[in-house]
Amino acid sequence: MKNILIICAMQEELDAVLDSFKKSYETIKIKNFTYYKFIHNKFIVYLVLSGIGKVNAALVTQFMVDRILPEYVFNIGVAGCLVDNLKFGDIVIASSLVQHDVNVAAFDLPLGQIPRMDVFDFKPNEYLLSIAAKIKQQIPNINIGRIVSGDQFIDDRATAEFLRTQFSALACEMEGAAIAHVCYFNDIPCLVIRSLSDLSGLENNANHSFLELKQMASDHAAKVAPILLAHL
Ligand code: ADE
């Protein structure tokens, strides 16, 4: 059986994914890492909590990759919206991920470009992209586009508009690009699936909306997980 790794930054997101599979699971604790293991169809699913931010996400991804050598890595959770035509609860699957807080403009690099890396953005492979396209046909309100990640909760209109225009991004969050970066190094296909909990300050106060809607958005994103695995 093949191993699948699912990473969530927050407990609410992880609990929603666990609920979506309706399976009994084993809980494993090693050092400061806790992960959950269950069988689903032809896969052994490992679900792990990373904590918030790029460093937490990267270190947990590498720790789990070294332990279980997953066939695929998925990151599931919530995001802030950066565009006018999407609404709370809509889902964005990342066709491209960029770390928006990387700034080496002093050496004429575009914002987001990590120096001396051979890529600008991190992308799912063709196979996972084709599955994303199938899921889009099956579930309403799924969008495929760029997500940007950084160690910042985006809660003001100017920054949200800047991220949208600079990166042509649909959504922002704090882990996806870091997870995709680690997967790129390890040559493991990765897909990031997020549901919108707030408007990143484009209209109303993002942190109020985030606190109010993160459960709904976590549930929406989590519902994609079993459907995704059914396609693999
Ligand atoms: N995750 C959910 N909403 C977010 C926001 N506005 N900024 C960064 N990460 C988020």
Side-chain angles (χ1 to χ4, degrees):
M1 276 204 282
K2 290 175 177 168
N3 291 341
I4 299 277
L5 175 60
I6 303 178
I7 302 168
C8 298
M10 301 188 299
Q11 191 68 46
E12 300 90 316
E13 296 166 325
L14 185 144
D15 289 342
V17 173
L18 266 183
D19 285 352
S20 75
F21 283 102
K22 299 183 178 61
K23 288 277 157 79
S24 54
Y25 53 86
E26 197 182 323
T27 306
I28 300 147
K29 288 184 200 272
I30 299 170
K31 300 186 197 169
N32 281 319
F33 303 99
T34 301
Y35 59 89
Y36 306 87
K37 180 180 173 185
F38 56 90
I39 310 273
H40 182 78
N41 301 342
K42 54 190 181 186
F43 299 110
I44 306 176
V45 180
Y46 293 83
L47 179 58
V48 67
L49 183 67
S50 67
I52 293 167
K54 293 194 302 172
V55 174
N56 281 329
L59 71 89
V60 163
T61 307
Q62 189 63 57
F63 174 81
M64 291 302 292
V65 163
D66 288 340
R67 287 194 81 79
I68 67 161
L69 265 180
E71 191 81 5
Y72 303 105
V73 173
F74 302 117
N75 170 224
I76 298 178
V78 305
C81 180
L82 295 175
V83 291
D84 296 330
N85 58 324
L86 299 185
K87 57 185 189 309
F88 303 120
D90 283 357
I91 290 165
V92 178
I93 301 183
S95 54
S96 162
L97 291 130
V98 176
Q99 293 170 46
H100 69 72
D101 54 357
V102 172
N103 182 343
V104 191
F107 288 87
D108 288 334
L109 295 183
L111 292 181
Q113 176 67 56
I114 300 163
R116 303 187 186 192
M117 263 200 89
D118 57 351
V119 291
F120 173 68
D121 56 345
F122 301 101
K123 296 182 169 122
N125 67 7
E126 288 302 319
Y127 175 63
L128 288 184
L129 273 177
S130 73
I131 287 176
K134 283 184 193 157
I135 295 172
K136 182 174 155 65
Q137 287 170 355
Q138 216 177 326
I139 307 178
N141 304 330
I142 293 216
N143 303 270
I144 300 175
R146 177 173 286 165
I147 293 179
V148 287
S149 314
D151 285 322
Q152 259 176 292
F153 184 85
I154 306 299
D155 190 14
D156 73 284
R157 178 193 278 271
T159 309
E161 284 177 346
F162 175 77
L163 293 179
R164 172 175 63 211
T165 43
Q166 177 72 28
F167 297 106
S168 306
L170 302 183
C172 62
E173 35 83 319
M174 300 177 71
E175 298 84 19
I179 292 168
H181 184 158
V182 173
C183 290
Y184 176 76
F185 254 87
N186 288 275
D187 217 3
I188 298 173
C190 170
L191 198 66
V192 175
I193 299 156
R194 299 278 184 153
S195 172
L196 303 174
S197 57
D198 58 82
L199 301 180
S200 313
L202 277 175
E203 280 174 26
N204 52 6
N205 192 304
N207 62 358
H208 289 173
S209 157
F210 171 83
L211 292 173
E212 216 170 285
L213 300 178
K214 67 178 164 26
Q215 191 59 57
M216 174 277 295
S218 297
D219 291 342
H220 278 206
K223 281 203 183 97
V224 180
I227 296 166
L228 171 64
L229 264 60
H231 280 288
L232 294 175

